[in-house]
Amino acid sequence: MIIGVDYYPEHWDKEMWITDAELMAKTGIKLVRLGEFAWCRLEPEDSRFDFGWLDEAIGIFSERGIDVVLGTPTNCPPRWLCEQHPSVVPTGRNGSPNPIGIRGHRCVNDPVFLGYAQRIVAEMAEHYKDNKSVVAWQIDNELEANFCFCPTCNEKHREWLKSKYGTLQALNKAYGNVVWSGEYSSWEQIDPPYGDYNHAWLNPAYMLDFNRRASEDTVRFCNMQAELIRKYIPHAKITTNTWFCENMTDFYKTFENLDFVSYDNYPTTDIPKDTENIYTHAVHLDLMRGIKRENFWIMEQLSGGMGCWSPMSKTPRPGMIKGYALQAFAHGADTVVHFRWRTAAIGAEMHWHGLIDHSNVPGRRFAEFAELCGEAEKLASLRGTRLRSDVAILYSSDNEYAFKIQPQTYGMYYMEQIKLLHYAFAGLGLNVDIVGQHEELSDYRIVCAPEMYVTDESVVRRLYDFAESGGTVILTNRSGVKDSSNNCIQAQLPTVYSKLTGCHAEEYDPIGGDSVRIKFGDGDTFTGKQWCDILNADTAEVLAVYDSNFYKGNAAVTVNRFGNGRAYYIGTVGEKALYRKIALKILKDSGIPFTDSLPDNVEMTTRVGDEISARFIFNNTDVSQEFTLDGRNITLKPFEMMIEEI
């Protein structure tokens, strides 16, 4: 396993570079990321390139056995470019150019910007094509869907719609534009969603297409750079670093033509007191692994208290620096790069803390990081091992976008039931994959498909086929609500899934912040919140009913035999224990081994290889945990990871 750091030589006097590199080598760091924001130093004037300083920095690290990930600097074009060509600056929702000086100040559709971006990437690739210390490339930084509202993007959007729909008549029908007299009579009438008002007021079909196109713009920009790098370095290893942001790209399309997934991982440093709060980043890590169904990298890992656009967070508690990095390894990371080596002394991120604080004196966090480097060295034999899972959870960018466009009820968000289902199965010691909804399902025995809100007919067929062949499917409320255009399907919910689930909703109640009691046949009771599908069982067996509200006695949770398999339907958003109960029933019925002795927030995963396998047991809490596993009494300190070969 490899530990690295993010480093910014352009921020520091050259005298510090050697000192830092020597301490890195002594600590056990094997990798540094460089250059992703340094365009103004790499091309200080139009057509005048200066790689000398970066060559020197790479040489210093290389001499000490430290490899380099080189970032393309296209996230932050230099001032001279923005001044000479104002069109490169993206336009905001108010129709005015965005401020220069924050990162990401470029429109990835602007032809002038694309020309300069291609040139700087080509210059870098040609310059470093024979440098053996550059082991990977990162494209840009934390790419977001291209929410630019400039004339170029507007025209790109119209052309995208023309290609998709062909005629205005087809577009108007797909969008239902007759509502509020919104029918277009010319393509030129189609504008982006200007204004800072709530976008739920806008046509949801129009908004989903806008999101899809904005994501595709960014994916195309990413692929352009990857193709350019491979032109000069055919065997280059290329990635980009992704995260959960407001306007995410489609993860699966983003990484389709890249070599591996990288994620920026910042777990919380403030453990919530509410026991129903799922704060673990295990779900994020499993989603990243599921994008390509391969091991991945962490390109930015928590190193200290965070603060930039928000006030500073708590500093990491003892054990967090080491424990959270090992948690990433436990879920399929092969490389973890910490952000950052030094806390910045300049710029907006000076309170986003690195491993060495402004004092310039390595402290408690650094000492713990050094321990991590030593432990990662011992785990070298596990590199290449993988997680194999019987359980998959489906994720959809369209569904996440659609939930943002039209909030369903107060407090309800798309990822919640993904987290709840993940927490239930992972809490029983199982590896869990979170995969794209178009992935092949035959490798799994259980597939959770929460909130299948926007319908894709190919996904529907595959879920039916999976159950028919003997698999277990879990569906939830807000499934089958919309067609592929994000318009409502006129049938009783869950519409296209009703034959699979063997039930239908007579009515639904968006209860928001209120709660409802749920009672199972064995007398166990749980709390439901946010949403209640009032179910009528057709061919399904009723497992639980509502035990309060005007629909007391109506079905809340059902299971239906379908072919050789089963389909469960959860009509509400329950507390954690409800999902654990359902998971236990499914695992017992299917004969899949599980562990039910793990305390809450103690996580267990298994990485397997041809010659070696290991189990990771992580206490993701701020208190010691004692429990029994395989007949042994185990005690784990806060954020301690136990690793054992099996």
Side-chain angles (χ1 to χ4, degrees), residues 334-346:
D334 283 338
T335 297
V336 174
V337 180
H338 281 252
F339 184 87
R340 47 196 282 169
W341 174 251
R342 287 186 172 277
T343 305
I346 54 177

Side-chain angles (χ1 to χ4, degrees), residues 95-110:
S96 299
N98 287 345
I100 300 173
I102 59 172
R103 64 189 187 187
H105 52 273
R106 77 283 189 263
C107 170
V108 302
N109 280 331
D110 179 69

Side-chain angles (χ1 to χ4, degrees), residues 385 608-613 645-646:
T385 58
V608 298
D610 294 333
E611 299 179 356
I612 190 172
S613 299
E645 292 186 18
I646 55 173

Side-chain angles (χ1 to χ4, degrees), residues 282-498:
V283 66
H284 296 176
L285 300 169
D286 286 343
L287 194 156
M288 292 300 130
R289 189 183 71 253
I291 292 173
K292 293 179 80 71
R293 296 174 77 175
E294 296 175 356
N295 290 2
F296 61 100
W297 285 25
I298 300 295
M299 198 63 82
E300 295 183 15
Q301 174 74 14
L302 176 77
S303 296
M306 299 167 286
C308 183
W309 46 85
S310 61
M312 283 182 276
S313 66
K314 289 182 178 179
T315 194
R317 275 34 203 162
M320 281 184 174
I321 297 295
K322 183 179 176 181
Y324 283 149
L326 292 174
Q327 182 194 34
F329 287 135
H331 287 269
D334 283 338
T335 297
V336 174
V337 180
H338 281 252
F339 184 87
R340 47 196 282 169
W341 174 251
R342 287 186 172 277
T343 305
I346 54 177
E349 288 189 318
M350 64 177 67
H351 294 310
W352 197 288
H353 291 73
L355 294 163
I356 299 176
D357 290 336
H358 298 131
S359 66
N360 202 29
V361 178
R364 172 187 63 84
R365 298 197 316 280
F366 187 88
E368 187 177 311
F369 173 76
E371 290 179 11
L372 166 67
C373 291
E375 187 143 349
E377 189 77 27
K378 298 174 184 176
L379 298 175
S381 61
L382 296 179
R383 189 168 179 84
T385 58
R386 300 178 181 276
L387 284 84
R388 297 173 183 166
S389 308
D390 286 319
V391 181
I393 301 175
L394 303 189
Y395 171 87
S396 161
S397 292
D398 271 1
N399 287 334
E400 178 139 19
Y401 274 136
F403 261 63
K404 289 178 179 178
I405 293 166
Q406 286 185 305
Q408 298 298 285
T409 187
Y410 293 102
M412 191 176 189
Y413 63 100
Y414 172 65
M415 284 292 293
E416 184 168 17
Q417 291 201 84
I418 289 178
K419 291 181 178 180
L420 285 162
L421 286 161
H422 179 276
Y423 199 88
F425 286 102
L428 294 166
L430 278 75
N431 293 344
V432 180
D433 289 350
I434 301 178
V435 300
Q437 63 175 0
H438 294 98
E439 286 293 327
E440 171 60 42
L441 302 178
S442 60
D443 291 341
Y444 302 105
R445 298 175 66 181
I446 301 167
V447 171
C448 307
E451 296 161 335
M452 302 298 287
Y453 185 71
V454 177
T455 299
D456 184 311
E457 291 295 340
S458 67
V459 177
V460 176
R461 286 196 300 273
R462 287 169 50 254
L463 287 173
Y464 272 81
D465 291 344
F466 179 77
E468 179 80 39
S469 300
T472 298
V473 176
I474 304 176
L475 285 154
T476 75
N477 51 79
R478 309 318 286 148
S479 294
V481 177
K482 300 290 194 77
D483 62 19
S484 61
S485 294
N486 205 18
N487 295 317
C488 284
I489 296 173
Q490 288 188 291
Q492 288 181 309
L493 294 170
T495 67
V496 294
Y497 297 106
S498 292

Side-chain angles (χ1 to χ4, degrees), residues 10 64 90 112 166 220 248 250 277 332 352 357 390 453 474 477 526 541 552 609 637 641 645:
E10 68 271 23
R64 289 155 181 84
V112 175
R220 184 171 58 249
M248 294 182 295
D250 183 310
N277 189 311
W352 197 288
D357 290 336
D390 286 319
Y453 185 71
I474 304 176
N477 51 79
F526 302 92
E541 174 190 353
K552 181 176 181 178
K637 294 181 291 188
M641 176 74 78
E645 292 186 18

